[in-house]
Amino acid sequence: MKALSKLSVVLLLSGGALCQQALADNNVFTVMDDPSTAKKPFEGNAAAGYLAQSGNTKSSSATANTNMTWYQPSTAYSLWGNASNTSSNDERSSETYQVGGRTRYNMNSADYLFGQASWLSDRFNGYDGRSILAAGYGRQLLNGPVHSLRVEAGPGVRYDDFHEGGHETQALAYGAFSYQWQLTDTTKFIQGVSVLGSDDTTVNSETGLQVAINDHFALKLAYNVTWNQNPPESAPERTDTKTSVLLSYAM
């Protein structure tokens, strides 16, 4: 049958307790980890997606991610990870893996200290590994029911292992902000930006819209941009973009 000559299957599974919170991109602002707003000692989510197409074009794409945060009265500890790969006509065209951890200590209702470490493998963009360690100070500027804004900054270090060979270690200045606007009872606008300033500055941005479907399901549309000042020779384009749709389920 002609209807079977081209098959497209999309599977989105997600579980967690962050359905009503913004699911921030880990590259931009890690996870939402404020212990002063935690309603339980642990919150986490997991998501997976798969797309397959056959017929005149044969391609597949798979992705999975998870966030987990443990809370104490003034401290939060977070772990996260994500993986994705895409192939076309049996040729791999993209492949990324990321893991990381973060800790946060609230000094008062507005000021906090943080530390975070992450590792990224993105060989199709020139990196077999990129390890980042940063620590510093953050402040919650807005914490109302409609608008939320926080910023953080501090020193760090980055180690790059290039896919075409060689490696480099450099000091960096880390800075980020995260803004959320509760447009309606069910709709939230999200904007986050992080900057890793060095001789090879990297800027990550996420713009998103999250809509709660009901008490258990939420839909998020996100547009992510990554800009590298001096990308590797094996991947010379400075800017990478990604558009994604995530269906989440809160257990």
Side-chain angles (χ1 to χ4, degrees):
M1 295 176 63
K2 292 183 178 180
L4 296 179
S5 64
K6 189 173 183 180
L7 175 64
S8 208
V9 179
V10 178
L11 175 64
L12 286 172
L13 300 172
S14 176
L18 298 181
C19 182
Q20 303 303 322
Q21 297 185 21
L23 304 177
D25 187 312
N26 297 328
N27 288 321
V28 176
F29 214 72
T30 64
V31 293
M32 310 308 291
D33 59 358
D34 186 356
S36 68
T37 61
K39 298 179 180 179
K40 56 186 71 176
F42 171 79
E43 291 182 328
N45 71 78
Y50 179 71
L51 168 67
Q53 179 176 319
S54 63
N56 293 322
T57 300
K58 183 178 180 181
S59 64
S60 65
S61 178
T63 183
N65 65 72
T66 183
N67 291 322
M68 298 176 290
T69 304
W70 293 263
Y71 295 103
Q72 295 179 359
S74 300
T75 310
Y77 305 93
S78 302
L79 296 175
W80 71 86
N82 61 66
S84 64
N85 67 74
T86 302
S87 63
S88 178
N89 295 321
D90 297 322
E91 292 288 336
R92 187 68 56 83
S93 57
S94 70
E95 184 178 23
T96 62
Y97 304 97
Q98 185 180 34
V99 294
R102 173 180 169 96
T103 182
R104 167 173 166 161
Y105 172 71
N106 280 3
M107 296 184 290
N108 52 52
S109 60
D111 304 296
Y112 64 90
L113 302 176
F114 74 92
Q116 63 189 41
S118 64
W119 175 81
L120 169 69
S121 176
D122 191 358
R123 63 189 181 92
F124 284 90
N125 280 322
Y127 299 96
D128 279 347
R130 167 172 279 189
S131 301
I132 298 172
L133 178 66
Y137 162 80
R139 183 170 178 83
Q140 192 80 36
L141 299 177
L142 298 174
N143 199 20
V146 178
H147 299 282
S148 174
L149 173 64
R150 61 175 178 156
V151 297
E152 63 183 37
V157 63
R158 185 173 77 193
Y159 175 80
D160 292 331
D161 184 13
F162 300 108
H163 182 60
E164 295 297 322
H167 54 83
E168 183 179 15
T169 302
Q170 54 183 312
L172 58 87
Y174 164 83
F177 78 85
S178 176
Y179 171 69
Q180 298 179 34
W181 179 10
Q182 193 72 44
L183 299 171
T184 69
D185 291 342
T186 59
T187 305
K188 179 181 294 184
F189 172 78
I190 305 160
Q191 179 63 61
V193 175
S194 71
V195 179
L196 302 173
S198 65
D199 293 337
D200 179 15
T201 296
T202 298
V203 180
N204 297 290
S205 172
E206 179 185 72
T207 304
L209 193 67
Q210 183 170 299
V211 180
I213 301 172
N214 54 38
D215 290 340
H216 295 284
F217 287 94
L219 188 67
K220 179 185 176 183
L221 173 65
Y223 180 69
N224 296 89
V225 179
T226 299
W227 179 82
N228 289 303
Q229 182 180 8
N230 297 309
E233 293 182 359
S234 60
E237 292 293 333
R238 292 187 176 185
T239 304
D240 289 294
T241 64
K242 178 178 67 176
T243 302
S244 60
V245 178
L246 176 67
L247 177 67
S248 65
Y249 174 70
M251 295 185 292

